[in-house]
Amino acid sequence: MKATAKAHTNIALIKYWGKREESIILPTNNSLSLTLDGFYTTTSVKFNKDFTEDEFFLDGKKVTGVPYDRVSGFLDLIRDLAGKKVYASVESVNEVPTAAGFASSASGFAALAAAGAKAIGLELNDQELSRLTRQGSGSACRSIYGGFAEWRMGFMEDGSDSYAVPVAPVEHWDLRVAAVVLDAKMKKVSSRDGMRRTVESSPFFAGWLDSISVDLREIKSGIEARDFEKVGKIAEANCLKMHATTLGAKPPFTYWIDTTLTVMQRVRELRENGIPAYFTIDAGPNVKVLYLPENEKQIHESLQRIPGVLDVRLSKPGHGISYL
Ligand code: 2P0
């Protein structure tokens, strides 16, 4: 009863920002992402009827506390689905360097769901696997697929219609992403807390939700046509709208630091100089820059030169779940 799966992280071009139900992770809006080749998690799950509790090793170290509880709680969902009361040993290796500024929860829960479901003998199709993965971490449900994926928020209270679907496969378009890592302290507001506070108190949240359906429709037509300017403009504006909601929250907060603004400005300057590039930012200070392969060298050099930039990690589109 052992299986190993690999999952890549993803970057949202239309952000998931807001939950309508926290316990089973149901979002307030659809979101759309690109799975990234450069950052992934490999997880092995072994169920054994002789085990008396779950155990979880991350990069070779035994994990306890809240991260352990999240993994063990997620294994409960897998056990419930399979109707089997059996504990597991989980070993994960993260190729998502914390320094790259990506949350490892997307690749982590996607790999855990895939390996766990297979190890316990569940035969899930992609939608079922995405629906299960969603309950570990929302953004993870998009990492089941390679290339571009959309998480449909659904409307049912039980979450049965809330899962991701593929939009375009990895071969469709070689859109690149540079992860710009900034010299910053740990973020003070987790994405979970940030989302909750914004949903509950920001007067701008309604405006954010109103703008999603047009952004989604337009970006999907841009992706289909491989129209970089269209996709980049929509992704950048969508990110700015998400971050604007945080300024209206009570108490207000922002994920940006001074260097975040400097990188945003550099991206605008690149565009003014005829090099197409657009930025997007998640629940932290680091900036991700969208670009095309032919501009990789210039983009990389220009971003690396910014004072306060620690590292620039480049990535191509990545594949969905695989089993090893
Ligand atoms: C996203 N983020 O779409 C958005 C954009 C952050 C900003 O998904 O609470 O770790 O586990 O469902 O998925 C980060 O939130 O949150 C996130 P939970 P998750 O990628």
Side-chain angles (χ1 to χ4, degrees):
M1 299 235 292
K2 184 178 175 186
T4 302
K6 176 178 171 185
H8 293 87
T9 192
N10 68 77
I11 177 75
L13 305 180
I14 303 296
K15 303 296 185 191
Y16 148 48
W17 194 243
K19 293 186 182 71
R20 64 180 200 275
E21 169 57 51
E22 291 217 11
S23 60
I24 53 170
I25 309 192
L26 296 176
T28 52
N29 62 277
N30 291 23
S31 56
L32 185 145
S33 62
L34 175 63
T35 299
L36 297 179
D37 179 57
F39 313 104
Y40 56 91
T41 304
T42 307
T43 296
S44 297
V45 179
K46 184 166 82 180
F47 287 98
N48 187 322
K49 60 180 175 25
D50 297 331
F51 293 164
T52 53
E53 59 178 9
D54 295 320
E55 56 179 13
F56 173 36
F57 296 88
L58 180 59
D59 297 327
K61 290 196 194 86
K62 193 169 174 136
V63 177
T64 57
V66 174
Y68 168 84
D69 293 342
R70 262 183 91 177
V71 165
S72 185
F74 189 74
L75 291 168
D76 287 341
L77 297 177
I78 294 176
R79 285 185 276 262
D80 286 351
L81 266 183
K84 292 181 188 167
K85 282 194 185 347
V86 56
Y87 292 105
S89 176
V90 177
E91 287 182 37
S92 279
V93 177
N94 250 343
E95 298 293 339
V96 189
T98 323
F102 283 102
S104 53
S105 64
S107 54
F109 276 99
L112 176 63
K118 188 160 188 226
I120 210 165
L122 286 167
E123 285 181 18
L124 305 181
N125 62 31
D126 285 348
Q127 277 179 14
E128 290 164 338
L129 183 59
S130 177
R131 189 162 54 208
L132 169 66
T133 305
R134 183 202 82 227
Q135 297 172 70
S137 187
S139 55
C141 79
R142 300 181 306 233
S143 276
I144 302 306
Y145 308 97
F148 297 89
E150 178 183 358
W151 177 9
R152 303 220 171 122
M153 60 177 279
F155 298 94
M156 307 289 283
E157 274 181 38
D158 65 0
S160 54
D161 56 353
S162 186
Y163 50 76
V165 295
V167 168
V170 62
E171 306 80 26
H172 174 68
W173 192 14
D174 189 7
L175 184 66
R176 303 270 169 101
V177 176
V180 185
V181 185
L182 307 183
D183 188 4
K185 303 272 181 308
M186 284 292 285
K187 67 183 176 195
K188 292 189 182 72
V189 183
S190 71
S191 55
R192 280 201 176 178
D193 292 347
M195 268 185 220
R196 187 186 307 119
R197 198 192 296 175
T198 310
V199 172
E200 285 172 358
S201 67
S202 178
F204 307 149
F205 194 73
W208 157 252
L209 291 183
D210 282 349
S211 73
I212 297 288
S213 61
V214 172
D215 281 3
L216 259 178
R217 192 179 64 226
E218 290 297 305
I219 206 165
K220 282 195 272 190
S221 90
I223 290 167
E224 194 183 350
R226 299 187 196 88
D227 182 339
F228 182 69
E229 190 181 328
K230 184 171 184 175
V231 168
K233 268 187 184 161
I234 297 166
E236 191 173 292
N238 184 269
C239 146
L240 291 171
K241 283 182 280 193
M242 174 205 130
H243 285 268
T245 67
T246 70
L247 298 179
K250 274 189 203 153
F253 65 103
T254 181
Y255 290 109
W256 299 353
I257 60 171
D258 50 0
T259 326
T260 310
L261 291 160
T262 310
V263 177
M264 289 157 70
Q265 189 52 30
R266 175 63 57 87
V267 171
R268 293 185 185 108
E269 286 162 10
L270 282 163
R271 286 208 291 270
E272 283 160 15
N273 290 313
I275 301 168
Y278 295 87
F279 62 78
T280 184
I281 304 160
D282 289 322
N286 295 326
V287 182
K288 282 86 177 184
V289 179
L290 308 173
Y291 63 93
L292 294 170
E294 58 264 34
N295 302 120
E296 183 156 279
K297 193 162 177 285
Q298 280 168 299
I299 300 262
H300 193 194
E301 286 173 3
S302 176
L303 295 171
Q304 272 180 323
R305 276 200 300 271
I306 300 170
V309 167
L310 292 182
D311 195 9
V312 179
R313 310 283 295 239
L314 309 177
S315 189
K316 296 176 186 180
H319 289 272
I321 292 285
S322 59
Y323 297 91
L324 308 177

